[in-house]
Amino acid sequence: MLTVKRRNHGRSKKGRGHVKFIRCDNCSQACPKDKAIKRFQISKMVEAAAERDMAEATVYEGYVIPRLYIKRQYCVGCAIHLKMVRVRSRIGRRDRAPPPRRFNKVST
């Protein structure tokens, strides 16, 4: 029997024989889609000063400018470098509970 570092071998493939590759958004390395670390980057469409000007000029009350939701996909190396995921100890890898969530207060 071979030694196994992770229960899922670092992937979420399960019954599929092959998955398509994606390109890392940081370094363009080819990485399997199920192995890539995916995060949504949420940003405002308009900067704060322009948003204030638009709020003063508009006839609609309480109109909220929509946000941009950009899906970012990173290879494991870049995700570690950008501190999105961390290297965990052998015992720490067994912990499958998600980390505590942080809620950033977005001014609207």
Side-chain angles (χ1 to χ4, degrees):
M1 195 133 143
L2 293 169
T3 57
V4 176
K5 195 169 186 180
R6 287 174 187 82
R7 176 179 164 174
N8 61 356
H9 305 287
R11 304 180 69 157
S12 62
K13 191 163 63 88
K14 296 307 177 205
R16 299 180 254 307
H18 184 265
V19 289
K20 294 208 171 189
F21 277 67
I22 55 104
R23 291 289 181 166
C24 172
D25 285 339
N26 194 39
C27 67
S28 298
Q29 179 179 336
C31 175
K33 187 178 179 184
D34 63 321
K35 190 172 190 174
I37 287 88
K38 301 162 209 62
R39 297 286 184 268
F40 274 103
Q41 179 186 359
I42 304 166
S43 60
K44 294 191 173 195
M45 284 189 179
V46 187
E47 61 185 29
E51 190 175 350
R52 206 175 314 113
D53 294 341
M54 289 173 69
E56 292 169 3
T58 187
V59 294
Y60 299 108
E61 289 297 322
Y63 177 72
V64 179
I65 297 170
R67 296 190 188 126
L68 283 174
Y69 291 86
I70 303 166
K71 188 173 188 180
R72 299 282 185 187
Q73 297 175 322
Y74 298 99
C75 66
V76 174
C78 287
I80 291 170
H81 179 72
L82 297 171
K83 296 182 179 171
M84 293 181 181
V85 291
R86 291 202 171 131
V87 178
R88 296 191 290 176
S89 66
R90 184 180 294 184
I91 293 133
R93 272 183 237 132
R94 293 182 196 158
D95 180 23
R96 294 173 57 83
R101 293 184 62 127
R102 306 178 319 205
F103 290 103
N104 294 341
K105 193 79 171 170
V106 178
S107 60
T108 54

